[in-house]
Amino acid sequence: MTEQLHAMTPHHLPFYIAKPGETDVLMIVMGVFLVLAVLGIGNVYLRLHSLPERMAHKGQKLQFEIVAVLGLISLFTHIHIFWIAGLLLALVDLPDFSTPLSSIAGSVERIADSEKPPTESPVDEAAVAQTDRSMERAGRAASKPASTPAKEVRGHV
């Protein structure tokens, strides 16, 4: 059988019309383009969505965690105010309160440890004798009458 064109068919068909029994190249190209476009737009969307987290990653751990939670809430609920709040929180540098507070706590702990009464150590007889001698000298100096009166300290009036 010979292929005859319908009487209403134009003699020159466009390239995108596939002949019967042939592969439709345009459909395959458009299918690949559609898959790549969906993956590309999804990648751009997820990069944009994770922008606050990437910005907060340079900051403190607590700030990063709060921004990450806000981003997840925004992603799953489609309430965009959470994403905006996360972005604003990532843009603001929070002051570091934990380092000074932990330094203060460490200093107070060291002070408390240093004020503990010393543990009794073995008594050194030479040290005890020297202390006794210094106490005797102090007692003799206190028993002598003071020849000059002590200066009086003026207060702020």
Side-chain angles (χ1 to χ4, degrees), residues 7-73:
M8 296 295 291
T9 306
H11 295 292
H12 176 61
L13 295 175
F15 72 95
Y16 54 84
I17 296 181
K19 295 180 182 173
E22 290 184 8
T23 305
D24 191 0
V25 178
L26 183 61
M27 185 181 78
I28 293 173
V29 169
M30 289 309 296
V32 170
F33 175 76
L34 181 65
V35 168
L36 291 177
V38 167
L39 291 176
I41 290 172
N43 191 12
V44 168
Y45 174 74
L46 288 177
R47 280 187 177 269
L48 179 66
H49 181 75
S50 68
L51 179 67
E53 293 175 35
R54 287 186 279 139
M55 290 171 62
H57 187 67
K58 299 171 188 165
Q60 301 171 5
K61 183 179 184 238
L62 178 65
Q63 182 180 11
F64 172 71
E65 289 177 356
I66 293 172
V67 169
V69 167
L70 286 172
L72 283 175
I73 291 172

Side-chain angles (χ1 to χ4, degrees), residues 43-124:
N43 191 12
V44 168
Y45 174 74
L46 288 177
R47 280 187 177 269
L48 179 66
H49 181 75
S50 68
L51 179 67
E53 293 175 35
R54 287 186 279 139
M55 290 171 62
H57 187 67
K58 299 171 188 165
Q60 301 171 5
K61 183 179 184 238
L62 178 65
Q63 182 180 11
F64 172 71
E65 289 177 356
I66 293 172
V67 169
V69 167
L70 286 172
L72 283 175
I73 291 172
S74 169
L75 181 67
F76 292 128
T77 62
H78 297 287
I79 300 174
H80 304 297
I81 193 70
F82 291 118
W83 186 85
I84 294 169
L87 182 64
L88 292 175
L89 184 61
L91 288 173
V92 174
D93 289 332
L94 294 179
D96 184 19
F97 291 115
S98 63
T99 303
L101 289 177
S102 63
S103 174
I104 291 170
S107 299
V108 168
E109 187 175 324
R110 273 188 269 128
I111 290 171
D113 288 343
S114 69
E115 289 181 1
K116 287 183 180 176
T119 58
E120 292 187 26
S121 60
V123 179
D124 186 14

